[in-house]
Amino acid sequence: MNHSTIMAMEAREAPSRIKEQLMANAEKVQQVVGVINTKKPKFVYIVGRGSSGHAGIFAKYLIEIEIGLPVVSAAPSVASIYHKSLQLADAFVIVISQSGRSPDLLAQADMAKKSGAVVLALVNDISSPLASMADYSLPLNVGEEKAVAATKSYLATLSAILHLVSVWSAKPSLMDAVQQLPALMQQAVDLPVQLNTAALINVKHLVVLGRGLGYAVSREIALKLKEVCGIQAEAFSSAEFLHGPVTLIKDSFTIIDVSINDETIAAHSQQITDTTSRGAAVLQLHHQPIVAHQRLLPLLVLQRFYIDVEVVARDLGIDPDAPVGLNKVTKTL
């Protein structure tokens, strides 16, 4: 198999990079959890755009499920464009950025600090302004990411969130599971192909459906299909899809089913069956036969998807390392 593109090589690096990350950040995670337990925030406020914003959706589900604190997503323009300050003294603020250099995210971090919040940065570039500005940083520790389409940095962001929440939750089963994550992700690398070019060759528009944590990674899957394959892909919660957008289904409309075997599986599967009965052509992404803690499963699905989508892009005649119109560091106000 051709692993010559930077995207392919970086996607396959993720398990080893995350193994290093978990060891390197162990003491810092304990320190941050100590601060959280002292401050006792009333809610979590998450800042991020693009893939980092999608990681924030994963964090929202994970923190609300495992910790029970409400989590809200920032509208970065409020600080950078509207120049408004929010009441965040009771918040634990997480700013997620691969580069740590986008002005709108820096404006949010600055605003949060001035309002009295504790600010944690999840950032790959530890020399960045964001890393300097935040009260605490958890380095993603994936080395330089050269491919425009983020793969290893996104997976490493999810693993850092899992690491933090596992220790914060003080649940031994989750803490133990996180330490098994690199080996499980390597198993996902070795799974058979799930997404193939033949099923997508004439597809211009599709929908990606997931539920809960599966919906969180569906957002990232849709973004990558847009970025590296030029397919107009939109992610929905499978429950939300039935509230109106289901009318899109006609003439074998393509749906990608992100199937996560957790508490959502029964409801999600029923909703997928509904779409199939309406004539949808369903492609399933899954983690079978790997058995793991439920909270880790979305990362395994995504690990396999990144490898598959890179191949599809090349088969479609697209260079996944150079998506049209994209830059590695996106600086928005």
Side-chain angles (χ1 to χ4, degrees), residues 109-181:
D110 182 58
M111 179 266 286
K113 283 194 72 171
K114 287 176 178 174
S115 74
V118 172
V119 178
L120 170 69
L122 302 185
V123 62
N124 195 39
D125 185 350
I126 56 172
S127 68
S128 65
L130 176 60
S132 302
M133 184 182 294
D135 298 304
Y136 303 92
S137 291
L138 287 182
L140 301 184
N141 208 48
V142 295
E144 183 183 2
E145 187 170 55
K146 296 178 181 177
V148 173
T151 55
K152 63 179 181 176
S153 67
Y154 180 77
L155 286 165
T157 304
L158 299 194
S159 67
I161 292 164
L162 271 165
H163 192 185
L164 174 67
V165 173
S166 70
V167 176
W168 186 1
S169 75
K171 296 177 182 176
S173 63
L174 186 54
M175 288 190 283
D176 291 345
V178 169
Q179 297 306 314
Q180 304 304 315
L181 181 59

Side-chain angles (χ1 to χ4, degrees), residues 289-322:
I290 302 172
V291 177
H293 191 291
Q294 293 174 318
R295 304 300 173 244
L296 276 55
L297 298 175
L299 281 74
L300 308 187
V301 173
L302 199 61
Q303 174 70 77
R304 182 63 244 173
F305 165 78
Y306 279 151
I307 293 167
D308 289 349
V309 78
E310 183 272 343
V311 175
V312 171
R314 286 191 286 109
D315 286 349
L316 294 175
I318 299 168
D319 180 358
D321 290 340

Side-chain angles (χ1 to χ4, degrees), residues 71-270:
V71 179
V72 298
S73 297
S77 302
V78 169
S80 62
I81 299 292
Y82 293 98
H83 306 295
K84 298 298 181 182
S85 182
L86 302 181
Q87 299 170 34
L88 297 174
D90 292 326
F92 174 55
V93 176
I94 303 175
V95 186
I96 306 172
S97 173
Q98 199 276 134
S99 70
R101 297 180 187 282
S102 189
D104 50 354
L105 305 187
L106 294 172
Q108 281 276 330
D110 182 58
M111 179 266 286
K113 283 194 72 171
K114 287 176 178 174
S115 74
V118 172
V119 178
L120 170 69
L122 302 185
V123 62
N124 195 39
D125 185 350
I126 56 172
S127 68
S128 65
L130 176 60
S132 302
M133 184 182 294
D135 298 304
Y136 303 92
S137 291
L138 287 182
L140 301 184
N141 208 48
V142 295
E144 183 183 2
E145 187 170 55
K146 296 178 181 177
V148 173
T151 55
K152 63 179 181 176
S153 67
Y154 180 77
L155 286 165
T157 304
L158 299 194
S159 67
I161 292 164
L162 271 165
H163 192 185
L164 174 67
V165 173
S166 70
V167 176
W168 186 1
S169 75
K171 296 177 182 176
S173 63
L174 186 54
M175 288 190 283
D176 291 345
V178 169
Q179 297 306 314
Q180 304 304 315
L181 181 59
L184 291 163
M185 290 177 66
Q186 187 57 53
Q187 289 183 44
V189 168
D190 298 331
L191 286 175
V193 170
Q194 296 179 10
L195 194 72
N196 61 71
T197 309
L200 293 175
I201 192 129
N202 294 314
V203 173
K204 301 298 181 189
H205 316 280
L206 61 78
V207 164
V208 187
L209 299 183
R211 192 78 190 266
L213 291 161
Y215 165 65
V217 296
S218 295
R219 294 282 294 265
E220 173 64 8
I221 288 166
L223 176 63
K224 287 297 176 289
L225 287 163
K226 287 190 280 257
E227 282 182 340
V228 302
C229 294
I231 296 172
Q232 184 187 10
E234 189 171 2
F236 291 94
S237 158
S238 51
E240 192 69 30
F241 188 67
L242 296 183
H243 282 265
V246 72
T247 56
L248 290 170
I249 297 177
K250 59 187 177 211
D251 305 325
S252 297
F253 185 81
T254 301
I255 286 177
I256 293 181
D257 161 22
V258 179
S259 187
I260 307 293
N261 191 18
D262 65 5
E263 297 93 331
T264 66
I265 190 65
H268 175 71
S269 297
Q270 185 175 356

Side-chain angles (χ1 to χ4, degrees), residues 45-63:
Y45 182 81
I46 297 185
V47 185
R49 285 205 190 275
S51 290
S52 295
H54 300 157
I57 297 169
F58 180 88
K60 174 180 173 64
Y61 278 103
L62 190 67
I63 292 168

